Amino acid sequence: MSDTVTSRLAGFHKLPMEERLARIGQMFRLTEAELEHLRGESALDLTVANQMIENAVGTFSLPLGLGLNLNVNGRDYLVPMAVEEPSVVAAVSFASKIVREAGGFTAEADESMMIGQVQVSNYGDPGLASEKILEAKEQILALANSFHPAMVARGGGARDVEVRLLPAPEGPRGEPLLIVHLLIDAQEAMGANLINTMAEGVAPLIEQLTGGRVYLRILSNLADKRLARATCRIPLPLLADFGLPGEVIAEGIAQASRFAEADPYRAATHNKGVMNGIDAVAIATGQDWRSIEAGAHAFACRKGQYRPLSTWYLEEGHLVGRIELPLALGLVGGPIKIHPGAQVALKLMRATSVRELSMVFAAVGLAQNFAALRALGSVGIQKGHMAMHARSVAVTAGARGGDVEKVANLLVKAGHVKVEKAREILANLPPETPAIATLTNG
């Protein structure tokens, strides 16, 4: 299958839905059941939904699109993206096409090291308590690993113990916080359940060692030992667009990056653009996107000010982009085991390890960010976004089939993308248009 997969599918967006599905089905050798899930004909079974959450009353669907043109470390990826916002999938596809022409993304990812935290109080002397914990490190690790012997047999499990002493939030009169970190290799899992089990399992031993009382024992979603990074180098001529030379577009992107580095108000929106892409892939593939979001934003604050996850600068005739963020992903466990849609999405991704998956996620985030900054630093974000939004407005107004594009184009040309205007345009289309008949008949 890998020999026949390409992310460069020219004209894919122009194909009817069934032709897109047929092409993807052939490329990935999808079963009829898998195609049914993509069509929405075989939704998440209510019995499965009831097992996944409490008080289930149904299921909820989002559009699933494919990000095209992505090439990471010389390998092509078609990226499933579940998202309701117009332009997200198109932006990733367009940005990836430009980067592809420049040689693609280069990416790397750390091993799957996660942090379990154990909070100790009433421990007496902080120095002595810390010393006792570190002296018993091997004992603590052995106990932690006893709760997941299968993980240890696969080469994972608890690897190290750290002790952190934090100032009391009440000030000098309060007891400093003593926090024990278990460093755990979760391998191909996101790891939340196994980390929590280990942290809870070693708590009695830590209490015994320190004479203190353990309260919280849970994973940290700031997975800063599980980082993924992606970079790209784009020759300036490839950036020319909007009637502007590549040097002008590149300067706008670099200036937008400087703005985000200096100002948290801008950095928040900059990073929202990054996460537009990452969240969409995370939802499609059954990842814990809330954990990813929390970790990314906490990581953005690691230097004492909220900063951008990605940066862009000019170097020797190229625009260079870099991104680094924590990505705690999984290929096993959680909803991945039981959600058929997530299983199909992961089949389309073709990632053979969570490290590879993390590299693709990072590249998607950088591509999404590039697309946004490219527009922001030149003609503005609304031109492209409104073109996509106009299609949704046209459908809401009653347009169908070929009339959707006609109405959307006229809305953008009029500069008034509203449902009322769309209805007015639709009413004035030639009477033989199918959408008019539909509107008239009901």
Side-chain angles (χ1 to χ4, degrees):
M1 179 170 64
S2 60
D3 293 335
T4 61
V5 172
T6 174
S7 64
R8 184 73 186 104
L9 301 178
F12 189 74
H13 68 287
K14 297 178 182 178
L15 297 176
M17 179 74 77
E18 274 303 316
E19 288 188 31
R20 293 181 204 161
L21 286 169
R23 189 163 181 183
I24 295 302
Q26 183 179 21
M27 188 183 298
F28 291 92
R29 300 174 187 170
L30 299 181
T31 66
E32 187 55 39
E34 289 169 335
L35 287 169
E36 285 180 6
H37 282 293
L38 291 177
R39 292 191 188 100
E41 297 170 356
S42 179
L44 181 66
D45 187 87
L46 290 178
T47 303
V48 176
N50 194 47
Q51 293 169 348
M52 292 177 71
I53 65 168
E54 305 79 20
N55 301 333
V57 294
T59 61
F60 181 85
S61 298
L62 284 172
L64 182 70
L66 286 179
L68 308 180
N69 305 314
L70 193 74
N71 182 279
V72 184
N73 295 336
R75 191 178 193 220
D76 274 12
Y77 295 90
L78 285 166
V79 184
M81 306 178 74
V83 63
E84 85 295 344
E85 185 175 338
S87 80
V88 169
V89 178
V92 162
S93 300
F94 182 80
S96 296
K97 182 175 181 290
I98 294 175
V99 176
R100 180 192 187 89
E101 293 171 3
F105 293 95
T106 301
E108 61 180 22
D110 298 337
E111 60 183 343
S112 303
M113 195 67 69
M114 297 290 288
I115 299 170
Q117 295 187 296
V118 180
Q119 176 194 10
V120 190
S121 65
N122 304 318
Y123 49 76
D125 180 81
L128 182 59
S130 300
E131 185 179 330
K132 288 181 177 179
I133 291 168
L134 292 175
E135 285 177 349
K137 180 175 77 170
E138 296 305 323
Q139 186 181 359
I140 294 170
L141 292 175
L143 178 59
N145 284 325
S146 71
F147 295 103
H148 281 283
M151 174 68 72
V152 176
R154 292 193 296 269
R159 296 271 189 84
D160 205 356
V161 175
E162 297 176 345
V163 177
R164 299 171 65 224
L165 282 171
L166 308 178
E170 304 86 2
R173 294 183 181 180
E175 179 187 56
L177 278 75
L178 192 158
I179 310 298
V180 180
H181 276 193
L182 276 179
L183 305 186
I184 301 166
D185 182 357
Q187 295 202 309
E188 300 305 306
M190 182 272 183
N193 289 332
L194 74 93
I195 294 161
N196 293 341
T197 299
M198 287 184 173
E200 291 177 0
V202 301
L205 174 57
I206 290 174
E207 286 182 332
Q208 180 183 335
L209 291 167
T210 62
R213 169 78 183 275
V214 166
Y215 284 93
L216 268 69
R217 51 266 198 222
I218 190 170
L219 88 160
S220 170
N221 288 124
L222 175 52
D224 61 359
K225 297 183 184 297
R226 195 174 183 175
L227 302 177
R229 293 163 287 276
T231 63
C232 63
R233 289 178 60 86
I234 308 170
L236 298 187
L238 286 180
L239 297 169
D241 204 353
F242 312 117
L244 300 171
E247 290 80 4
V248 173
I249 301 289
E251 181 63 26
I253 293 171
Q255 290 294 342
S257 182
R258 292 182 68 241
F259 186 4
E261 289 188 78
D263 182 17
Y265 289 88
R266 172 60 208 147
T269 312
H270 180 107
N271 289 343
K272 191 270 183 181
V274 169
M275 302 312 290
N276 271 347
I278 289 176
D279 283 350
V281 188
I283 293 170
T285 57
Q287 309 298 321
D288 186 346
W289 61 270
R290 296 147 322 266
S291 167
I292 295 169
E293 280 273 350
H297 296 302
F299 186 72
C301 298
R302 67 194 184 282
K303 295 181 180 178
Q305 176 181 309
Y306 188 87
R307 294 183 183 276
L309 296 165
S310 63
T311 55
W312 297 87
Y313 57 92
L314 299 173
E315 182 180 84
E316 299 176 348
H318 291 74
L319 176 70
V320 181
R322 300 184 184 279
I323 188 170
E324 181 179 52
L325 76 164
L327 284 170
L329 308 179
L331 284 174
V332 297
I336 295 168
K337 286 192 302 186
I338 57 176
H339 197 297
Q343 292 167 8
V344 174
L346 285 170
K347 184 173 181 176
L348 297 178
M349 287 284 283
R350 298 188 305 139
T352 58
S353 70
V354 288
R355 294 178 77 172
E356 182 184 0
L357 193 66
S358 297
M359 295 177 207
V360 176
F361 268 64
V364 168
L366 190 58
Q368 190 80 51
N369 181 233
F370 168 54
L373 297 189
R374 175 181 164 276
L376 283 168
S378 53
V379 297
I381 198 78
Q382 287 300 88
K383 183 176 180 180
H385 184 77
M386 281 298 103
M388 298 295 295
H389 178 57
R391 294 174 187 166
S392 296
V393 172
V395 172
T396 302
R400 297 294 183 269
D403 284 348
V404 173
E405 205 67 32
K406 294 177 186 176
V407 174
N409 289 338
L410 290 169
L411 283 171
V412 173
K413 187 175 181 180
H416 187 59
V417 186
K418 300 291 183 183
V419 174
E420 296 78 10
K421 182 65 176 177
R423 286 177 177 148
E424 177 188 326
I425 291 171
L426 190 61
N428 289 313
L429 287 179
E432 67 271 16
T433 305
I436 293 297
T438 302
L439 190 64
T440 304
N441 292 333

